[in-house]
Each structure stands twice: as structure tokens, then as C-alpha cells.
Amino acid sequence: MTRSSTHRVPRQRLGVLLACLLALPAAQAAVIGVKPGESIQAAIDRAQPGDVVEVQRGRYEENLRIEKTITLRGINRPRVSGGDKDDTIRVTAPDVVIEGMIVSDSGGSLLKQNAGIYIQPGAHRAKVQNCWLNYNLFGLWIEKADDVQVLNNNITGKRDFDSAQRGNGVQLYNTKGAKIIGNQVSFVRDALYIDVSHHAEFKQNNMHHSRYGTHYMNSYYNVWEDNDTWANRSGLALMEVRDQVVRNNRAWDNLDHGIMLRTLQDAVVENNVVMRNGRGFFVYDVEYTQLTGNVVADNKIGVHLSGSARNEVDGNDFIGNQEQIKYIGTRDTQWGGKRGNYWSNYRGWDRDTDGRGDISYEANDVVDRLSWRYPMVRLLLASPAVQVLRMVGQQFPVLRVPSVVEKNPRMEPVTPDWEKWRYMLTRKITHAPRS
């Protein structure tokens, strides 16, 4: 027997022994059943770490506290009601799973931060999935707990409370690695409230009938992808952040802005659809950011732009906005690049048929500035006098105002089938629940 073969057998035996040891806790895990008339908390107290507490369909009026690593699983949607006091469920242990439950009727104290499910600091890797969180002040409050997953839940707030007195759908504070995916959130103060939370994913969430679809601050290295936000006062708001990817989201029929980018650096904002909002994009103090491939259509103001520079704005469609750009600045800002942006109100021509305009597009002129300062001017926009003023402003640079300028804009939209969104988003809002 060679030297290497003398060591192979002990290592093989060691591997088998380790496999048996790893399998031992799973083999010892118990399933503890709870039926109507029994106490869920009593079952949790009896459970050992790794056990599963299965709750049968029924109504259970309890305020639960989970202080060990277990799975709380609902069978056929049992309801646990907090009786309008405190948190309905409070989680203090790591690796807790809550699934298939209706969690309702938390207390209503903003001071105490009452929540349907409150995940305390240190309760890392908690998972809440396929639950209905109804009539809670905060749906989920998650604080200083890393790698939490919130998946495929339906979250609604206390609808009879004034907006300012409601809590948020998901409150995420001082975390890392969260995954907030596939949730329906509505009738809360802010659907997602995110603060000091990094390396997270926010995907495929629907957020509507709230103050902000997303209220998001001081957070870095996160991905926002394939989310819908509509019928809020404001849609997706990212403030005081950097290193974000904001991709393939849809924001429409929000009273104020669809997507707000405020004090943002080093981000990618691409392929979003922003339609029928008060302002499509609100862009303030944004630097080193790519805005590409977005459809900005049918908004009162397409982009409200101020205090932003050193960005790449290329390959976007600006279509049918009442005002394409509201620009606040002291010098021109140059947009456009290899792909070019499309402006539906561009009146230039393309003599060399290269698909790009031969004269520059300017988003604003002296008439636009007058209408912002004196809104009643809008009543006269079609009058000959105002049209003459617009023409004079173009001919005499002394009257010219700083503007967003694109040297060679596109002649055709980047997204040729952009109109499909008009139909699709109308269908979505038609089928949304009423307040």
C-alpha cells in the first residue's frame, strides 16, 4: 500500500462521518401542528431550533414572539391577529422562516413602531414569503438584520388612517444583502422605505396608492429592476445615494414624479418607462450617471432638471410631454451621443438621411421661462404675439435662455413600439384596487 493510499481511507471515513453529523439535525427536526382553539405561541415555546410549527386554517388572536430558529408555516392561510396592539409577530432569532400566514391587526403607535412582523437587530437571514400582511401599521419593520428575504407577499396598511399616520409597507434600516422581490404593497404611507441599506435587490414589486412608491435614502450598491409603481403621490424616489442600477421599471399615473433622482452619483438608469406623471424624471444634483434607453412620454413635464452635470443622457425617447424639459441652470447642458435622443417636438430635418437631425434641438426658450414664472402665460401660447416672441428669441441670442441642447437628435424613436405601453399601463391601472 502506497503512502497516499494509507491516508485515503481515513479521509473517506471522515467524510461519511461529517455527512452523518450534518444530516443529524434535519433528521431530528419535528413538525408541531396547531389547530383552531390552540395557541401558536405555546407551540413555538415547545419547539426546538430547526423545528417547523404548522398552523391550520383558522383565526388566532395572539401576539407572537419567535426567539429561536424555526419555521412558522401556515396551511390554507390561517390568520394571526394582534388585536390592534403591539407587534403581531416579533422575531429576535436568526434564520427564522414565516410563510403562508395572514398577519394582521398590529397596534397603531408610530412611536412604538408597531408592525405586522418586526424583525429585530441580529435576526439575520429571516425569510417572509407568501404571506398576507393586512391592516398593520408597518407591514414589516426590518432593522440591522442582514440577508433578509421578503418574497411574494401582499402588504396593505390601515386604510382608515390618514396617510401621515400610517406606517410603511416595508421599512428597511441599516441592513446588507436584502432581497425584496415579488411583493404587492399598497395603502400605506410609503410602500418601501429604505435607509442605510446596501447590496440589496428590489425586483418585481408592485407599489401603488401610497405617498411614495419607494422612499429611498443613503444606500449604496443596490439593484432596482422590473418594479411597477403607480397611483402614488410620487413613484420611485432615490435620494443621497450612489452606485445604483435602476433598470426596466415602470412608473405611471403618479401625481408628482415618476422617478426622482436627487443627489445621485455613479448610477445606471436604463430602459425605464415613465408615463403620465406630473413630472416624468426629477433630476437634481446628479453626476456621473447614465440615463439611457428610457421612454418618457405623456407627462406634464418630461424631465425637471437642475444642478446636474457630467452625465450621459443618450438613446431616450421624449414623446408627447406637455413640456419636454424644465431646466434650471445658468449654462447649456449638452445631451445626446452615439445613439441620440428622440424628441417628438423636434422640427428639424435630415437631408443626408442618416437618421439624425441636421440642426440642434433646444428644449427651452424665453417663452418657456415666462410660462414657468407666470403660469397664466400658458393661456396665450397659441397667440400670434407669443409665437412672434418665440421666433425673435431664436433669432436674437441676447434673448436666448440656457437650455438642454442636443446637436443631432434622432429622427425616429429608439423604441419603435413604445405606444404599446399606453395600452398596457392603462389596463394595469384599470384593474388596480380602489382606495
Side-chain angles (χ1 to χ4, degrees):
M1 183 177 293
T2 65
R3 179 182 177 88
S4 60
S5 64
T6 60
H7 289 275
R8 187 177 297 121
V9 174
R11 287 176 180 171
Q12 290 174 343
R13 290 175 179 172
L14 180 60
V16 173
L17 179 60
L18 287 173
C20 292
L21 290 173
L22 290 172
L24 188 58
Q28 292 179 338
V31 176
I32 302 173
V34 182
K35 298 180 294 186
E38 298 177 346
S39 169
I40 300 174
Q41 186 65 58
I44 292 172
D45 293 342
R46 293 198 309 271
Q48 298 298 313
D51 286 352
V52 178
V53 175
E54 284 193 346
V55 183
Q56 296 296 323
R57 184 179 180 88
R59 182 182 178 90
Y60 303 81
E61 297 205 8
E62 302 182 68
N63 297 90
L64 305 179
R65 190 174 182 90
I66 303 177
E67 299 178 322
K68 59 190 75 171
T69 300
I70 64 166
T71 295
L72 178 64
R73 177 181 299 149
I75 306 299
N76 296 323
R77 301 186 190 177
R79 178 185 296 273
V80 55
S81 168
D84 296 318
K85 63 180 186 295
D86 302 325
D87 307 311
T88 303
I89 301 177
R90 181 171 282 251
V91 178
T92 67
D95 299 296
V96 168
V97 177
I98 301 172
E99 58 186 16
M101 302 288 296
I102 299 175
V103 181
S104 64
D105 308 321
S106 78
S109 172
L110 289 171
L111 182 63
K112 296 180 179 178
Q113 304 165 355
N114 294 149
I117 300 175
Y118 196 117
I119 298 177
Q120 282 195 180
H124 304 302
R125 298 174 298 281
K127 180 186 290 188
V128 179
Q129 61 184 5
N130 301 321
C131 289
W132 291 257
L133 293 99
N134 311 135
Y135 204 72
N136 301 293
L137 188 66
F138 292 86
L140 290 106
W141 184 290
I142 304 167
E143 181 176 356
K144 297 180 182 178
D146 296 337
D147 301 310
V148 169
Q149 298 183 56
V150 180
L151 311 175
N152 303 316
N153 302 286
N154 190 305
I155 302 170
T156 56
K158 292 182 180 285
R159 295 193 188 191
D160 54 335
F161 282 33
D162 291 338
S163 176
Q165 299 303 313
R166 298 176 186 175
N168 303 314
V170 177
Q171 176 102 11
L172 195 64
Y173 174 68
N174 202 357
T175 71
K176 295 179 182 177
K179 295 184 185 301
I180 313 297
I181 300 174
N183 301 283
Q184 304 274 343
V185 191
S186 59
F187 304 101
V188 292
R189 183 170 57 192
D190 299 335
L192 304 181
Y193 187 98
I194 315 299
D195 193 11
V196 197
S197 295
H198 315 307
H199 300 283
E201 296 180 10
F202 304 90
K203 297 181 178 180
Q204 300 169 6
N205 300 289
N206 289 342
M207 300 160 285
H208 57 91
H209 292 90
S210 300
R211 183 182 67 173
Y212 282 91
T214 296
H215 194 164
Y216 174 91
M217 301 180 295
N218 307 309
S219 301
Y220 312 133
Y221 307 106
N222 296 327
V223 176
W224 295 85
E225 188 168 20
D226 197 22
N227 300 286
D228 288 278
T229 177
W230 76 93
N232 306 289
R233 271 180 266 176
S234 298
L236 173 61
L238 283 73
M239 297 178 280
E240 309 286 344
V241 297
R242 67 173 185 265
D243 296 289
Q244 307 292 309
V245 175
V246 184
R247 176 190 297 134
N248 295 333
N249 302 285
R250 293 156 296 276
W252 76 98
D253 287 349
N254 296 289
L255 185 62
D256 191 356
H257 59 262
I259 298 180
M260 172 193 283
L261 307 173
R262 185 177 183 276
T263 315
L264 174 74
Q265 294 87 33
D266 302 304
V268 174
V269 182
E270 63 182 9
N271 303 333
N272 301 285
V273 177
V274 186
M275 298 185 73
R276 300 198 308 255
N277 305 282
R279 293 176 287 185
F281 279 97
F282 179 81
V283 180
Y284 177 80
D285 189 25
V286 173
E287 295 182 302
Y288 306 108
T289 291
Q290 299 176 34
L291 285 89
T292 60
N294 302 289
V295 174
V296 185
D298 300 339
N299 303 282
K300 291 182 180 178
I301 297 173
V303 179
H304 189 157
L305 175 67
S306 179
S308 300
R310 293 174 288 277
N311 301 302
E312 177 188 345
V313 185
D314 191 29
N316 304 285
D317 292 319
F318 299 98
I319 302 173
N321 302 292
Q322 292 180 29
E323 294 181 27
Q324 297 281 40
I325 303 290
K326 183 172 183 177
Y327 175 57
I328 310 299
T330 58
R331 64 184 65 182
D332 286 348
T333 290
Q334 300 289 331
W335 281 6
K338 183 176 181 180
R339 300 172 68 190
N341 299 293
Y342 173 73
W343 306 87
S344 62
N345 62 335
Y346 177 61
R347 296 294 178 262
W349 53 84
D350 178 20
R351 289 177 177 171
D352 58 5
T353 66
D354 66 350
R356 305 292 288 271
D358 296 337
I359 61 173
S360 296
Y361 172 80
E362 295 189 15
N364 306 131
D365 59 19
V366 66
V367 175
D368 293 321
R369 290 299 181 104
L370 283 172
S371 66
W372 300 340
R373 182 170 293 184
Y374 307 106
M376 292 299 291
V377 171
R378 296 173 188 274
L379 299 175
L380 305 174
L381 287 180
S383 70
V386 171
Q387 295 305 312
V388 169
L389 180 60
R390 194 183 292 275
M391 183 182 67
V392 169
Q394 293 172 350
Q395 297 298 320
F396 294 91
V398 69
L399 295 178
R400 187 180 178 278
V401 296
S403 180
V404 169
V405 177
E406 181 161 359
K407 185 176 180 180
N408 299 112
R410 291 178 65 93
M411 300 300 294
E412 298 291 338
V414 181
T415 306
D417 60 345
W418 69 271
E419 285 190 283
K420 70 180 182 182
W421 292 109
R422 279 180 173 161
Y423 172 76
M424 293 174 64
L425 299 185
T426 298
R427 292 282 295 174
K428 285 193 174 189
I429 196 68
T430 299
H431 289 82
R434 296 183 179 180
S435 56

